[in-house]
Each structure stands twice: as structure tokens, then as C-alpha cells.
Amino acid sequence: MRSDESPQGAAGEPDGPEPNGSEPVDPDVTPADVRRWRESRRSRHGILAVIAAGGSLGALARFGASLLWPTPAGAFPWTTLTVNAVGCLVIGVFLVAVTEVFTAHPLLRPFFGTGFLGGFTTFSTYCVDIERLVDAGRTATALVYLAATAVAAMAAVSAGAFGTRRLLSHRSAS
């Protein structure tokens, strides 16, 4: 690297302005490139913020479900199974709606799809539930739960997407 060049990050993006506050002197990096990089960085922070906010709300909703329908120790974890299936159903409906029906605000999908539904559904608790069932000597129940959750999740997201498309095709045919 020449002494008059600005260092670049791993992705070829400038690391920022020179230490003295001036713009980079690399002839391949224009001030417009630096502005675009900074705007992109701010945009990523906004997306991360809405994902975090949505995830917090989704986790609170899941916690509320566990308070309303607690699972006794060693029992089949119906609450977690239901939460995961409902979350998958909603994501099937939601993704068809925002990708095929209307143009959504750019932050809606990260907020609701990634954030809220990601926080609401809980595959980590699903794994802990399986471990607890196995530790309690209920291996057969753990295996049933393992399979039932995967099948229910796939069926729910497929039903949500298929049902939404079918409903929308009937509405447009009317």
C-alpha cells in the first residue's frame, strides 16, 4: 500500500475518514463511495434495532403463553409445540402477504418476520425440552416431540402460505 492510500476493510469498504478527519486520498474511493458506505452502515443499525425490538416483543408474547399454559416438569411440552406451530403458520401467511400481495415498509419484514416471529417461536426451548424429557427417562416422548414439532412447523408454514394464496386467488376471481 502506498503512503497516500486509505486502508480498506476486508470487504473492500473504506475504514472511514483519515485520522486527521479528511476524506480518504485513495483515487479509487470517492467521497460519494464513503457517503454510501456510511449510509449503508446507518441503515444496518436501523434494521438491527427493529429486529431487536420485534424479538423482544415476540419473546414477551411467548413468555405470556408459557404463563397462561405452563408445562409441568416431565410432561409433554404442548405450549412450546403450539407456539412454534402458530408462529410458523403466521410466518407463512405473513411472507405471502408481504412478498406477493402488497409492498410493505422496508422495516416491516425484519421487525415482524425476523424479530417478532423469531422471538416468539422458540427452537432453543424445543431442544431444551427434548433434553429434559430424555433426562427424565422419557426418551420415547422426546422422540415423538422431536418429530411432531418438525412436522407441525413445516405443515403450519405450508398451510399458512397455501391458504393465503388460495384465499387471495378466490378474492381476485370474485
Side-chain angles (χ1 to χ4, degrees), residues 12-95:
E13 298 174 328
D15 288 331
E18 291 295 305
N20 64 9
S22 67
E23 292 298 323
V25 292
D26 186 339
D28 296 329
V29 178
T30 66
D33 293 333
V34 173
R35 275 192 302 279
R36 275 194 300 275
W37 177 77
R38 287 181 182 150
E39 288 168 8
S40 168
R41 192 168 171 183
R42 275 192 295 274
S43 171
R44 287 182 289 208
H45 289 2
I47 291 170
L48 290 175
V50 298
I51 290 171
S56 298
L57 294 172
L60 286 172
R62 175 173 32 90
F63 178 69
S66 71
L67 291 177
L68 290 172
W69 190 10
T71 301
F76 191 88
W78 287 107
T79 306
T80 305
L81 176 67
T82 303
V83 161
N84 285 337
V86 167
C88 288
L89 177 74
V90 172
I91 203 158
V93 171
F94 174 71
L95 286 178

Side-chain angles (χ1 to χ4, degrees), residues 62 80 84-85 88 118 120-128 130 149-150 153:
R62 175 173 32 90
T80 305
N84 285 337
C88 288
F120 181 66
T121 57
T122 173
F123 288 92
S124 59
T125 301
Y126 160 66
C127 293
V128 170
I130 292 167
T149 299

